[in-house]
Amino acid sequence: MSSALKMTCLECSAVNRVPADKLSAGAKCGTCGARLNDGKVRALDPATLAKAQRNDDVPLLVDFWAPWCGPCRMMAPAFEQAARSISPQARFAKINTEDHPNVSGKFGIRGIPALILFQNGKEIARQAGAVPAPAIEQFVRRKARL
């Protein structure tokens, strides 16, 4: 029997347990039925981010961005490409710092885009500035316990 990994549904915020050997089998949320790890980038609010940050065993890379930020908009396709490429080993999400200005202060973000990698209840790494998809993937593979 494989160990279970905790994953917060990025749609409804429910915490789910997924057998590790079933991670790539298209696991769905037991509450809302959304796919837990489908390689898509999800938009987060601060409450869902806090819950996922606190609970998730699977690495979660969060892009802190704003719509007025040129480098943020330029990096968005690369971030989505990296999310598809590295799934199901890690999940990717974005939080709009314009809509949620308190998150910048909470996480000590001084410039955007900023990538923060969370796993097992803590921040494990951060990367500042726009980077291409291969560099994003390498960052996650190097820093996370995959």
Side-chain angles (χ1 to χ4, degrees):
M1 179 163 186
S2 70
S3 62
L5 300 171
K6 290 187 291 183
M7 294 176 72
T8 302
C9 176
L10 301 180
E11 297 292 329
C12 75
S13 299
V15 178
N16 294 265
R17 292 189 181 276
V18 178
D21 61 352
K22 303 287 185 189
L23 193 59
S24 61
K28 293 182 179 178
C29 175
T31 302
C32 73
R35 292 198 172 242
L36 294 172
N37 199 356
D38 59 2
K40 293 182 181 174
V41 177
R42 298 286 193 259
L44 297 182
D45 59 49
T48 304
L49 173 58
K51 198 167 190 181
Q53 173 194 0
R54 191 173 52 246
N55 292 304
D56 285 14
D57 296 322
V58 175
L60 175 65
L61 183 63
V62 180
D63 176 16
F64 293 81
W65 72 287
W68 51 262
C69 170
C72 297
R73 290 193 317 270
M74 285 178 21
M75 188 180 75
F79 194 72
E80 291 171 6
Q81 179 185 347
R84 286 188 303 273
S85 177
I86 207 163
S87 178
Q89 298 164 322
R91 299 193 301 167
F92 285 50
K94 297 174 89 76
I95 190 157
N96 184 332
T97 59
E98 182 86 4
D99 291 343
H100 308 289
N102 293 340
V103 297
S104 294
K106 179 179 179 185
F107 291 101
I109 295 170
R110 302 236 182 253
I112 54 175
L115 303 177
I116 300 181
L117 184 61
F118 300 99
Q119 187 175 19
N120 298 324
K122 56 185 143 182
E123 176 183 328
I124 58 173
R126 63 173 59 203
Q127 167 83 37
V131 291
I136 296 169
E137 292 174 46
Q138 183 182 36
F139 171 72
V140 173
R141 291 185 196 284
R142 195 171 18 100
K143 299 295 184 177
R145 292 176 296 282
L146 302 179

